[in-house]
Amino acid sequence: MLGTKIHRPVPRRDLVHRPRLTDLLGRPQHPRLVLVAAPAGFGKTTLLTQWLGSTTTGTAVAWLSLDEGDNDPRRFLEHLLAAISVIGGFTEATDLLASANHGPPGHALTDLVLTSIVNDLDTHPADTVIALDDYHVITDPDVQRSVAFLLEHVPRHATLAIATRADPNLPLPRLRARRELVEIRAAELRFTPDEATAFLADAMQLDLTDDQATALATRTEGWPAGLQLAGLSLRGTSDTVRFVADFAGTHRFVLDYLVEEVLGHQPEAVRRFLLDTSVLDELTGDLCDAVTGRDDSAAVLESLERDNLFVVPLDDQRQWYRYHHLFADALRARLAAQDPARVPALHRSASDWYAARSRSEDAVRHALAGNDPGHAAYLVEQALPDVRRERRDVLLRQWSAALPDNVIRDSALLSICRAWTRLIAGDPDGVEAWLEDAERAMVTHPPTPEPGASVATLEELRTLPATIAIYRASAAQARGDAAATTRHARTALDLTGPEDHMARGGALGFLGLGAWARGDLAEAVTTFSQALQSLAAAGDVSDALGGTVGLGSMWQARGRPDEARRLFERALDTAGQGRGAALATLGDLHVGLASVLVEQGELDAAAEHLTTATSLGESASLPENRFRWCAVSSDVHRAHGELDAAVDLLDRAEELRLPGYYPDVRPIPAARARLHLEQGRLDDARAWARDVAVAEVEHPGHLDEYAQLTLVRLLLAEHESDGNPTHMAEALRRLDALEPDATRGGRDATLTDIARLREAARGRTAYATAGTAGAPTASDALSGRELDVLRLLATALSGPEIARELFVSVNTLRTHTKHIFTKLDVTTRRTAVERGQELGLL
């Protein structure tokens, strides 16, 4: 059917020539946008085809008839490429889109595809018009963004032409100001009296006086569809004068009246055919035969086209047609009013025809339209494996929402699908009931594969018990219940076989996440790595690469930023080679790498990756990951000493944060409290500690760790402020309490932080003791950060290496060093170290 979408309708020879409009469309010679906008029935498509048929020989034309299905960004790009490929070339863009592995393209890949299209258009020697018909059906923001991108970047010899019932979401005022827009609206599309006379005489073959033609044109206000219906009605009347007189003065609802007149003058067989086939969005002989029970539908369609009865051909072979949208709507309303009991049977016949041709989306649509949810559910079950593999999540949600609850409960597959919709809606507590329904349905209505079922279908049915356990693990992880996550994931893994790569990937993934939440980083890294390998073995490259975001974070927690960096760089390299360019987490990978680079002190490189992530747009980042950009940007500003900006970014991160599957090992309020301490805002840090009652946690687990280490920083700052030894003792006690579990869990980054804080505490204690014997007074004491710098000055590390170790810029390091020199009354690094040793600070 793709061929009919990209077929440019050929204008009928008996159409009224309208040079006043076609000439207008050609001025200026190469407008960036031609916009034909008017309500239904005003001849928008006809005008575009007339204009394109009259353009200079050699102009290349790409035509795409849009429908509701084109609101899927991937399908839109596929259809756009199919349309422009008739011009020649565009293989690079086609290959880029194919690299998406059926997944949603995202802004990153979309821009690559569109840029490739623009580049090929630029090298194409001929003038080019890309025509998008029925653009008003496009409501998806990503598809609208793609069209806007194309419009903004098309070369000068290319024009985008749009026919629509409503103004598109495009920068029309700017195009007008640049004189790059030609627009035709309803006022221009209305027939003039002369055009109406010519239309009724030539196209409709009616012998009317000029006054009669003018009267009809006046009553219809030049509406082409109204005039066509009036002409069809006149063919069946013997009293032309009376019809025109009555029509011109008494009929308020023009469309209903004219359709009634047209149908009334058709033979019963034709009238029945029109009404029965009105349930179809597209018409071909075989499909119409299936719906009507006839065997001559192809000939009927040809006859209807010859009679100008609102039938629009969709291909050159005259095999596929559609009714004019306005006419189809009126026919459907008449069918529902006159014979409502017949409607379900017509839809069922259409559904069966489409299902036999593996066109599941159309088959399900007709089953639902025919109020046959049971059959629709059966069709959805058969289509689920392929639709999942193609990652058409929007379609899955639509199907699940359209099916009644009681029908879904009779199907294990559909109950699991409904459980999935609750998860992505952020309702983990609503998952279990549907999973229990799935288990009951497996007993009462055991799913069985159809003969010849695909490998994907067989695997999906075979792994249903494991899938249910995986969803239970998923819901538990979303609730923060690490023990339940591990229990259900282990059950799922036990239910899989060695070749069930997809199910094993899910089970191992949640085992790894559960281990991460418990703090067992050694187990987490091992298991999560196995999960990504299983996903790759299943052919799910996108999720395997996207999982690097979690695995890289685990390696950082293990104190191995080098390994995390290697993983992120390898994933981005793979994506850059086209094997994962459509990642919904491509931006997240850049943010993850930026986090590692901050840790390694490469702030400029980190900022570049954050900028790249921004340019990729939100579609290159999972909603639950988007806060990370702000959090890592905050780290960059902190390293530069820009603490106010860092706090602002954490505030923004907190607003963006959504529940996700990754454990919250670095709570934003605690991170903000650390910044407040560096700013000297002890009261704000104290307020954080009171609000979260962090001091009351006596047996902290892994998820309490970051907050506990923040509390230690607060206690040390309190001790530095008032000299109270209780604060120091409590800080050391909490560090001692945290160390054993961090050691068992292999959390080397935490152990390094504990060691630093313990050294800082001991240094401050020694410093305070020395101060009583003539050392600098408390007002001159080194801050905690300055003590960290002094200890590293005593090593062989260079200045940039010390800056990387402390996650600060070189300029910030220099500032700390100047403060140390002033407070210790020295002028060189060597004498600063010697003075520190004298005071017991080292």
Side-chain angles (χ1 to χ4, degrees):
M1 274 306 299
L2 183 58
T4 63
K5 288 178 65 66
I6 64 175
H7 170 77
R8 171 162 55 105
V10 179
R12 297 171 60 94
R13 289 187 296 272
D14 54 6
L15 288 176
V16 176
H17 294 290
R18 311 181 80 183
R20 68 182 178 88
L21 298 181
T22 54
D23 290 349
L24 181 60
L25 290 176
R27 297 195 302 267
Q29 185 177 3
H30 299 299
R32 187 175 293 272
L33 174 64
V34 165
L35 177 65
V36 183
F42 270 86
K44 300 180 292 295
T45 302
T46 299
L47 177 62
L48 274 187
T49 59
Q50 285 181 302
W51 169 55
L52 293 173
S54 66
T55 53
T56 304
T57 302
T59 297
V61 177
W63 181 279
L64 177 57
S65 296
L66 299 167
D67 56 44
E68 297 285 351
D70 290 304
N71 280 296
D72 181 323
R74 181 187 180 86
R75 294 185 73 186
F76 171 76
L77 288 176
E78 288 174 343
H79 294 164
L80 177 65
L81 278 168
I84 62 176
S85 292
V86 302
I87 300 172
F90 306 99
T91 55
E92 181 189 55
T94 302
D95 291 343
L96 281 170
L97 186 59
S99 73
N101 192 29
H102 300 294
H107 289 180
L109 179 63
T110 296
D111 290 353
L112 286 174
V113 171
L114 293 173
T115 299
S116 178
I117 290 173
V118 169
N119 290 338
D120 282 356
L121 287 173
D122 194 36
T123 61
H124 197 271
D127 293 345
T128 304
V129 176
I130 300 174
L132 303 178
D133 195 22
D134 288 334
Y135 189 77
H136 52 271
V137 303
I138 298 300
T139 58
D140 181 81
D142 285 335
V143 176
Q144 293 173 343
R145 177 185 177 276
S146 296
V147 175
F149 182 101
L150 189 62
L151 177 63
E152 181 67 24
H153 295 92
V154 288
R156 292 182 60 83
H157 64 278
T159 294
L160 189 65
I162 288 178
T164 176
R165 294 183 187 177
D167 274 5
N169 185 19
L170 296 171
L172 301 183
R174 187 174 70 201
L175 293 171
R176 289 190 192 103
R178 293 178 179 175
R179 307 175 78 87
E180 294 178 334
L181 170 65
V182 174
E183 49 192 325
I184 303 290
R185 298 188 175 274
E188 292 82 24
L189 286 168
R190 297 183 192 278
F191 279 147
T192 65
D194 288 344
E195 289 171 341
T197 299
F199 173 76
L200 292 169
D202 298 337
M204 304 305 299
Q205 298 291 304
L206 295 171
D207 185 16
L208 302 178
T209 67
D210 289 347
D211 288 344
Q212 290 171 333
T214 300
L216 289 176
T218 300
R219 181 64 184 90
T220 58
E221 298 181 345
W223 179 34
L227 272 174
Q228 186 176 0
L229 282 163
L232 290 170
S233 299
L234 277 166
R235 286 179 178 175
T237 184
S238 58
D239 192 344
T240 300
V241 174
R242 181 171 181 178
F243 176 90
V244 173
D246 287 348
F247 177 75
T250 62
H251 292 282
R252 179 181 176 190
F253 300 103
V254 177
L255 178 62
D256 287 345
Y257 167 71
L258 290 176
V259 170
E260 184 175 353
E261 286 290 309
V262 170
L263 292 177
H265 293 130
Q266 302 302 319
E268 173 58 28
V270 173
R271 185 162 59 247
R272 183 77 267 165
F273 181 91
L274 291 170
L275 292 172
D276 285 353
T277 56
S278 68
V279 302
L280 304 173
D281 291 329
E282 55 200 13
L283 310 166
T284 192
D286 193 25
L287 173 57
C288 292
D289 283 346
V291 169
T292 64
R294 303 175 65 114
D295 59 7
D296 61 346
S297 295
V300 174
L301 290 170
E302 292 175 6
S303 175
L304 293 176
E305 186 198 0
R306 284 195 304 271
D307 291 342
N308 203 13
L309 203 58
F310 288 94
V311 175
V312 180
L314 298 177
D315 60 5
D316 290 328
Q317 292 75 35
R318 295 309 201 258
Q319 292 182 349
W320 286 92
Y321 301 83
R322 67 168 173 84
Y323 291 128
H324 187 287
H325 298 311
L326 202 65
F327 190 56
D329 290 342
L331 289 174
R332 289 168 188 155
R334 183 59 51 87
L335 175 65
Q338 290 184 352
D339 199 356
R342 184 168 173 76
V343 174
L346 296 172
H347 280 295
R348 177 58 185 260
S349 297
S351 178
D352 290 344
W353 190 88
Y354 281 116
R357 288 152 182 82
S358 300
R359 292 182 57 180
S360 58
E361 189 172 353
D362 294 303
V364 172
R365 176 169 52 80
H366 277 287
L368 291 171
N371 195 27
D372 192 350
H375 184 55
Y378 167 79
L379 294 170
V380 171
E381 282 185 330
Q382 301 306 307
L384 266 179
D386 289 335
V387 174
R388 284 189 196 278
R389 187 176 64 255
E390 295 170 8
R391 304 186 67 178
R392 298 183 62 188
D393 292 353
V394 173
L395 182 61
L396 280 179
R397 289 198 298 269
Q398 291 172 343
W399 281 350
S400 181
L403 292 170
D405 290 355
N406 64 312
V407 172
I408 288 179
R409 289 192 176 97
D410 286 340
S411 164
L413 279 169
L414 297 182
S415 293
I416 292 173
C417 185
R418 179 63 68 84
W420 167 79
T421 67
R422 300 318 312 150
L423 271 177
I424 62 174
D427 178 24
D429 294 332
V431 171
E432 180 59 28
W434 288 106
L435 295 180
E436 291 174 357
D437 287 333
E439 289 176 325
R440 281 192 292 269
M442 288 181 64
V443 176
T444 59
H445 301 83
T448 55
E450 294 287 316
S454 66
V455 173
T457 298
L458 294 174
E459 181 178 349
E460 179 137 358
L461 295 178
R462 183 176 66 249
T463 59
L464 275 179
T467 301
I468 291 172
I470 289 170
Y471 277 114
R472 285 197 167 110
S474 178
Q477 183 70 9
R479 291 193 302 268
D481 188 345
T485 298
T486 301
R487 184 173 68 254
H488 293 306
R490 177 61 62 187
T491 298
L493 189 62
D494 291 342
L495 290 169
T496 63
E499 300 303 316
D500 298 331
H501 298 301
M502 231 12 222
R504 289 184 68 83
L508 287 166
F510 281 108
L511 279 174
L513 291 175
W516 186 8
R518 294 194 314 273
D520 188 347
L521 267 295
E523 174 67 20
V525 164
T526 299
T527 309
F528 206 73
S529 297
Q530 294 171 349
L532 302 190
Q533 292 168 6
S534 290
L535 292 175
D540 189 356
V541 178
S542 294
D543 282 339
L545 291 177
T548 303
V549 174
L551 185 58
S553 298
M554 294 177 192
W555 276 113
Q556 283 181 273
R558 288 216 68 184
R560 291 287 305 279
D562 55 333
E563 181 64 21
R565 180 171 181 168
R566 185 186 68 81
L567 284 171
F568 282 122
E569 289 177 340
R570 185 175 64 187
L572 288 170
D573 181 62
T574 301
Q577 294 175 13
R579 285 174 285 169
L583 285 177
T585 53
L586 185 60
D588 297 331
L589 289 175
H590 282 283
V591 173
L593 180 54
S595 176
V596 177
L597 292 169
V598 172
E599 184 176 348
Q600 295 181 327
E602 299 184 32
L603 301 182
D604 290 342
E608 289 178 7
H609 281 282
L610 290 171
T611 299
T612 300
T614 300
S615 69
L616 293 173
E618 288 191 350
S619 64
S621 175
L622 296 179
E624 62 269 26
N625 283 342
R626 290 171 191 164
F627 81 97
R628 296 176 186 272
W629 185 95
C630 293
V632 178
S633 296
S634 174
D635 291 340
V636 172
H637 282 279
R638 172 187 175 274
H640 282 299
E642 300 160 353
L643 300 181
D644 289 345
V647 171
D648 291 342
L649 282 162
L650 280 187
D651 291 341
R652 177 64 179 146
E654 192 168 36
E655 294 173 1
L656 292 174
R657 200 181 195 294
L658 297 174
Y661 293 131
Y662 293 165
D664 188 9
V665 295
R666 187 191 177 192
I668 291 173
R672 185 168 48 231
R674 294 190 182 192
L675 288 173
H676 286 159
L677 287 172
E678 293 188 36
Q679 290 176 308
R681 295 163 57 180
L682 263 66
D683 286 343
D684 289 326
R686 292 180 185 120
W688 159 78
R690 287 194 303 271
D691 290 343
V692 299
V694 65
E696 298 174 15
V697 179
E698 288 301 324
H699 303 287
H702 174 227
L703 298 183
D704 303 309
E705 193 170 80
Y706 189 86
Q708 287 294 309
L709 291 170
T710 305
L711 175 61
V712 168
R713 285 168 165 81
L714 173 58
L715 290 167
L716 294 178
E718 297 273 25
H719 177 264
E720 186 174 333
S721 174
D722 60 19
N724 187 340
T726 304
H727 296 312
M728 181 64 67
E730 179 64 9
L732 292 172
R733 186 186 72 79
R734 289 186 179 271
L735 290 175
D736 290 341
L738 290 170
E739 189 171 27
D741 188 66
T743 301
R744 285 191 298 271
R747 302 193 295 277
D748 289 354
T750 297
L751 292 173
T752 299
D753 198 21
I754 289 172
R756 288 175 178 170
L757 289 170
R758 188 176 279 130
E759 281 190 50
R762 290 169 178 164
R764 290 175 188 181
T765 302
Y767 190 24
T769 302
T772 63
T777 62
S779 62
D780 295 323
L782 300 186
S783 69
R785 176 57 71 184
E786 288 161 358
L787 285 169
D788 293 339
V789 171
L790 180 61
R791 282 192 294 274
L792 292 173
L793 288 175
T795 69
L797 295 176
S798 66
E801 289 171 335
I802 293 175
R804 284 196 294 272
E805 182 71 16
L806 295 175
F807 320 135
V808 299
S809 68
V810 174
N811 286 337
T812 301
L813 175 66
R814 288 173 182 155
T815 300
H816 287 313
T817 303
K818 288 178 182 178
H819 291 167
I820 292 170
F821 286 2
T822 299
K823 292 180 179 182
L824 298 183
D825 193 23
V826 297
T827 58
T828 68
R829 175 174 178 173
R830 181 178 60 80
T831 55
V833 171
E834 291 174 351
R835 181 65 170 150
Q837 290 171 337
E838 292 171 5
L839 295 173
L841 301 179
L842 298 174

